């Protein structure tokens, strides 16, 4: 699956293994920036290799739209979207 801003992904390697994150940006063909709003904040996202994540089929449309229009994305927005995903509401 494609990795793009707003997509919910699962880490497959590192100390964050098996945790869910939202992609905030793409650095290049190898790296992307991810955050979960708790340990990895929006203002200091984790630079992660794309090969070490699995993209889910869920995209947070609200966060994707804010990222595309250069609006502010907050940690609480990211936490809310991930909680809804983990609870099966998406």
């Amino acid at each position: 699956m494609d990795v793009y801003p707003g997509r919910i992904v699962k880490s497959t390697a590192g100390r964050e293994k098996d945790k869910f994150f939202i992609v905030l940006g793409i650095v290049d063909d190898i790296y992307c920036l991810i955050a979960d709003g708790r340990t990895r904040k929006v203002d200091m996202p984790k630079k992660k290799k794309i090969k070490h994540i699995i993209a889910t089929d869920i995209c947070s449309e609200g966060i994707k739209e804010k990222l595309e229009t250069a609006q502010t994305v907050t940690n609480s927005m990211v936490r809310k979207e991930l909680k809804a995903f983990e609870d099966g509401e998406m």
Side-chain angles (χ1 to χ4, degrees):
M1 279 194 199
D2 233 4
V3 175
Y4 55 83
R7 175 71 60 111
I8 296 177
V9 296
K10 182 178 181 181
S11 175
T12 60
R15 63 176 64 131
E16 303 96 5
K17 185 177 181 180
D18 296 329
K19 291 185 181 178
F20 290 98
F21 297 89
I22 291 184
V23 177
L24 297 180
I26 304 297
V27 177
D28 54 26
D29 292 341
I30 300 172
Y31 292 99
C32 67
L33 299 173
I34 59 174
D36 67 356
R38 289 184 185 92
T39 57
R40 295 294 178 179
K41 305 281 184 171
V42 172
D43 56 344
M44 291 291 291
K46 169 80 174 161
K47 184 177 175 184
K48 187 100 171 152
K49 286 190 175 184
I50 294 174
K51 70 179 184 178
H52 292 156
I53 58 175
I54 296 175
T56 64
D57 56 348
I58 305 295
C59 178
S60 170
E61 294 299 327
I63 291 179
K64 179 182 176 185
E65 183 179 311
K66 286 190 177 286
L67 291 170
E68 289 173 350
T69 58
Q71 294 178 6
T72 304
V73 175
T74 64
N75 291 314
S76 62
M77 288 178 197
V78 172
R79 287 192 305 265
K80 181 180 174 184
E81 292 292 329
L82 289 174
K83 182 169 178 14
F85 171 74
E86 291 170 355
D87 292 344
E89 296 174 10
M90 292 182 109

